[in-house]
Amino acid sequence: MKFKSWQGCRVFVTGATGIVGSSLVKELLIKGAYVVALIHDGDPQSELYRSGTIQQVSVVNGSLEDFSVLERAINEHEIDTVFHLGAQTIVGAAYRSPLPTFEANIRGTYNLLEACRIHRDLVKRVVIASSDKAYGEIDVLPYTEDLPPLGRHPYDVSKSCTDLIAQSYYYTFGLPVVIARCGNIYGGGDLNWSRIIPGTIRSLFYGDRPIIRSDGTFTRDYVYVKDAVNAYMVMAEALEEKQIQGEAFNFGPKQPRTVLEIVDALRHLMGREDIEPLILNQAKAEIRDQYLSSQKAEQVLGWVPLYSLEKGLGETIKWYKQFLKREK
């Protein structure tokens, strides 16, 4: 059975104020879905608020750690599709204070999946946002989906657990889940300035030296937010097919980059090659090299990234310039 249309679908989105959540909600609304957003802290700086999209969705206030909030949202709004994007996503914050990360990312995942299981008569699709960090630090690169989740540091472990819990709900209870493992997602709307792309753009905009916490040689995949949103939508639509359920899919740009390469690309695109980055070499609890094979997503889902690094960074820079001009 093929997915017909988002028109009239009743969709619950956790993490709706984040960079991906804001863009996903907007795309779902364009396609005619009824969207319910879980909001923990209402951030007026979030693109969900700044764009006015918040006025077009139903809001449920609460946290992932509160099972009753999640169960009520799914039941009262008669949810048929769930996108679980909500998480504590900052590696450094997880290192400094692992307990809140474990609570949000692990307890939050099993609370949500249990609420979906209880209302299995309503819920037809569950998309779980995991991460390439779930694989941990292993010698085999690029990561492929047949590798086990082997996180060691707090954030990585929380994503490994997310994957295992999601798969347990499929294999034990037949819950129609699918797992997305993306590289580092970037784009307009990410206001976590500790991340390399928004932090570097802001530094260059103000004429300051960009800060690199590592030695600059760490390798990552960088996925533009519109490609990530497309990945989540394609996965949800494919869940009509039984062979997709319980599966995990990698999403990456096929060309990993070092941190220094990203900073240099931004310096070039912003015309600020006169400003040298400040390399601190102080990164802790971070994996040195991570990148993904997206071959399975391409072959099974037909997903390929539509944005080159230059095009994605160009759109991102344009967004931040407009945002920072208003901040001055």
Side-chain angles (χ1 to χ4, degrees):
M1 180 179 175
K2 290 289 184 182
F3 183 84
K4 292 180 181 178
S5 170
W6 286 100
Q7 191 73 38
C9 285
R10 304 180 69 84
V11 184
F12 185 44
V13 180
T14 72
T17 58
I19 171 180
V20 183
S22 298
S23 294
L24 176 65
V25 168
K26 191 177 295 185
E27 186 65 22
L28 287 165
L29 290 169
I30 289 171
K31 291 184 179 291
Y34 168 81
V35 179
V36 180
L38 179 70
I39 307 292
H40 184 210
D41 294 320
D43 182 2
Q45 295 279 57
S46 164
E47 187 65 9
L48 187 73
Y49 285 82
R50 292 181 66 257
S51 66
T53 307
I54 189 71
Q55 304 299 326
Q56 302 174 60
V57 305
S58 293
V59 173
V60 172
N61 293 114
S63 70
L64 289 166
E65 296 90 326
D66 189 337
F67 173 78
S68 63
V69 167
L70 304 177
E71 189 274 332
R72 181 180 67 82
I74 290 170
N75 182 39
E76 292 185 3
H77 290 277
E78 299 183 323
I79 297 299
D80 56 60
T81 305
V82 174
F83 288 95
H84 179 38
L85 311 182
Q88 193 300 102
T89 61
I90 306 299
V91 173
Y95 176 81
R96 291 187 298 272
S97 188
L99 182 59
T101 299
F102 290 150
E103 287 289 306
N105 297 6
I106 300 175
R107 185 191 298 275
T109 297
Y110 66 66
N111 275 348
L112 181 63
L113 289 170
E114 179 63 9
C116 292
R117 184 190 70 83
I118 289 171
H119 296 292
R120 182 68 180 83
D121 57 326
L122 296 172
V123 178
K124 307 301 183 218
R125 301 166 211 89
V126 184
V127 177
I128 302 292
S130 184
S131 166
D132 55 356
K133 307 296 185 292
Y135 290 110
E137 189 162 15
I138 49 181
D139 294 331
V140 180
L141 289 170
Y143 297 149
T144 56
E145 291 86 349
D146 56 350
L147 293 169
L150 291 173
R152 291 290 180 264
H153 303 301
Y155 178 73
D156 311 342
V157 166
S158 78
K159 301 313 284 186
S160 296
C161 290
T162 293
D163 283 28
L164 290 168
I165 292 165
Q167 288 179 328
S168 77
Y169 268 84
Y170 166 72
Y171 285 108
T172 308
F173 305 111
L175 196 67
V177 302
V178 65
I179 300 163
R181 297 172 182 155
C182 290
N184 289 9
I185 299 171
Y186 72 92
D190 183 1
L191 301 181
N192 287 310
W193 303 112
S194 63
R195 290 187 176 136
I196 192 64
I197 290 176
T200 297
I201 292 173
R202 186 170 72 162
S203 294
L204 295 174
F205 180 84
Y206 287 118
D208 299 327
R209 297 179 68 185
I211 303 295
I212 296 178
R213 291 179 293 107
S214 67
D215 64 5
T217 65
F218 286 29
T219 306
R220 297 285 186 272
D221 281 327
Y222 292 88
V223 183
Y224 187 48
V225 62
K226 291 181 181 178
D227 280 328
V229 167
N230 183 40
Y232 290 129
M233 299 283 284
V234 167
M235 291 174 73
E237 292 166 8
L239 271 171
E240 299 291 326
E241 302 171 27
K242 288 289 288 184
Q243 64 267 31
I244 302 298
Q245 297 177 12
E247 292 292 310
F249 291 90
N250 292 339
F251 299 97
K254 297 185 178 180
Q255 188 173 2
R257 310 276 183 159
T258 67
V259 174
L260 271 172
E261 285 175 330
I262 293 295
V263 171
D264 286 345
L266 290 169
R267 290 167 64 213
H268 173 71
L269 289 168
M270 294 182 70
R272 295 312 312 254
E273 290 168 298
D274 56 312
I275 302 178
E276 293 288 336
L278 179 61
I279 300 174
L280 300 180
N281 197 16
Q282 295 176 349
K284 293 180 179 178
E286 290 208 35
I287 297 165
R288 172 165 287 278
D289 296 309
Q290 287 191 296
Y291 48 94
L292 300 157
S293 166
S294 302
Q295 185 175 0
K296 180 179 175 182
E298 185 173 344
Q299 292 178 344
V300 177
L301 302 174
W303 179 89
V304 292
L306 301 177
Y307 286 80
S308 66
L309 181 69
E310 186 174 75
K311 185 179 179 183
L313 289 179
E315 286 196 6
T316 302
I317 290 167
K318 182 178 178 181
W319 188 94
Y320 282 105
K321 281 184 174 179
Q322 292 174 344
F323 176 84
L324 293 168
K325 280 177 185 174
R326 289 192 292 268
E327 194 181 64
K328 275 188 171 181

